[in-house]
């Protein structure tokens, strides 16, 4: 990554994550999550969590954003903002990506990929992927695969 996104970019990502959260389909958990994925070329892909009555086909907001971006040919990612909380009310919690989402991030992102956890009010904390997934398993561990 060239440099850490500036505060204006971070706030834009938070706003977009909040917009994406409104599209979540959560009739079972009533916990809506939105994500905004920033590519190094400046494009932003949104994702929301999508539930299912049989539970296992649920897709998280973070993976939705990554899958949309990858399906459009994107492969270089800089940062992601995540906003989530109960469907009722505006009080959000600092949502951390689940293990499956962290593994997807590990597939496509460098160790310095930034993840911003939003409180929905302009406050956030950030962590790098390597902080979120120490000793992560990725493509570079498999023989015959190139490095990121």
């Amino acid at each position: 990554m060239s440099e850490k996104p500036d505060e204006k970019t971070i706030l834009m990502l938070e706003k977009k994550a909040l917009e994406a959260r409104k599209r979540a389909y959560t009739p079972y958990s009533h916990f809506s999550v939105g994500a905004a994925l920033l590519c190094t070329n400046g494009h932003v892909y949104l994702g929301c969590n999508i539930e299912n009555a049989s539970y296992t086909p649920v897709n998280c907001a973070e993976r939705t954003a990554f899958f949309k971006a990858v399906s459009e040919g994107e492969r270089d990612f800089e940062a992601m903002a995540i906003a989530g909380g109960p469907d009722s009310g505006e009080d959000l919690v600092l949502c951390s990506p689940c293990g499956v989402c962290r593994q997807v991030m590990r597939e496509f992102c460098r160790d310095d990929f930034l993840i911003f956890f939003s409180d929905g009010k302009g406050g956030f904390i950030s962590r790098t992927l390597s902080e979120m997934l120490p000793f992560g398993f990725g493509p570079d561990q498999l023989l015959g695969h190139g490095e990121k």
Side-chain angles (χ1 to χ4, degrees):
M1 181 168 42
S2 55
E3 60 184 63
K4 184 177 178 179
D6 61 17
E7 188 166 345
K8 181 179 174 183
T9 301
I10 296 166
L11 292 174
M12 176 273 297
L13 287 173
E14 176 189 45
K15 181 180 177 183
K16 289 192 174 290
L18 290 167
E19 289 173 17
R21 183 176 175 265
K22 292 176 185 174
R23 300 179 190 153
Y25 177 73
T26 58
Y28 308 105
S29 73
H30 304 288
F31 192 89
S32 298
V33 180
L37 175 61
L38 176 64
C39 300
T40 55
N41 64 12
H43 290 132
V44 176
Y45 290 85
L46 305 183
C48 62
N49 56 324
I50 304 166
E51 296 181 345
N52 188 284
S54 67
Y55 292 103
T56 56
V58 168
N59 202 50
C60 298
E62 300 90 332
R63 281 182 282 143
T64 300
F66 269 98
F67 295 164
K68 287 169 67 176
V70 170
S71 72
E72 295 297 321
E74 301 286 359
R75 295 292 189 276
D76 296 312
F77 305 104
E78 187 169 332
M80 173 175 268
I82 303 167
D87 289 348
S88 59
E90 295 297 316
D91 292 329
L92 301 184
V93 298
L94 295 175
C95 282
S96 177
C98 75
V100 175
C101 289
R102 293 176 197 201
Q103 187 62 44
V104 168
M105 290 175 187
R106 177 66 176 86
E107 183 71 20
F108 294 104
C109 302
R110 294 177 308 276
D111 287 341
D112 62 353
F113 177 78
L114 284 169
I115 306 160
F116 298 97
F117 310 96
S118 170
D119 67 4
K121 298 176 178 83
F124 58 87
I125 62 170
S126 66
R127 296 291 183 268
T128 64
L129 179 57
S130 63
E131 291 172 316
M132 297 295 300
L133 190 62
F135 305 105
F137 181 84
D140 47 317
Q141 274 81 32
L142 297 175
L143 292 175
H145 281 67
E147 299 200 13
K148 290 188 201 178

